[in-house]
Amino acid sequence: MSAEHIYMPKLGMHMTEGTVTERLLADGDYCEQGAVVVEIETEKVAHEVEAPMAGYVRIAVPEGETVDVGTVLAEITAEPANTQ
């Protein structure tokens, strides 16, 4: 099964962490490539993080949580997750 991770981006030289301020998709939702999955905020900027491919979303970080740069925020898979 093909999958891509979405990571907390490093948006500036001194950025070490960011906060997920809004999840625009829920676990299991289908999205197109380029769709905004989550919004993040740092000390200096708010930023929309987009899906790198079309597929089904699994969110890894809840709204309001602050995580380090490089942390997996979500995963996009080509097939829906098995919910059994």
Side-chain angles (χ1 to χ4, degrees), residues 3-80:
E4 291 253 354
H5 289 115
I6 299 173
Y7 299 96
M8 175 62 76
K10 184 172 179 93
L11 301 173
M13 184 178 270
H14 301 289
M15 180 181 166
T16 60
E17 64 184 18
T19 302
V20 174
T21 56
E22 185 175 0
R23 293 170 29 164
L24 289 117
L25 298 170
D27 283 332
D29 283 355
Y30 181 83
C31 70
E32 295 294 334
Q33 180 178 359
V36 177
V37 177
V38 296
E39 290 182 356
I40 62 165
E41 190 171 286
T42 71
E43 290 180 4
K44 297 183 179 186
V45 68
H47 180 74
E48 295 177 335
V49 181
E50 298 178 352
M53 64 182 260
Y56 296 89
V57 178
R58 185 188 65 79
I59 303 292
V61 177
E63 284 183 9
E65 190 166 321
T66 300
V67 296
D68 292 335
V69 166
T71 299
V72 174
L73 299 175
E75 179 181 67
I76 308 292
T77 59
E79 298 178 19

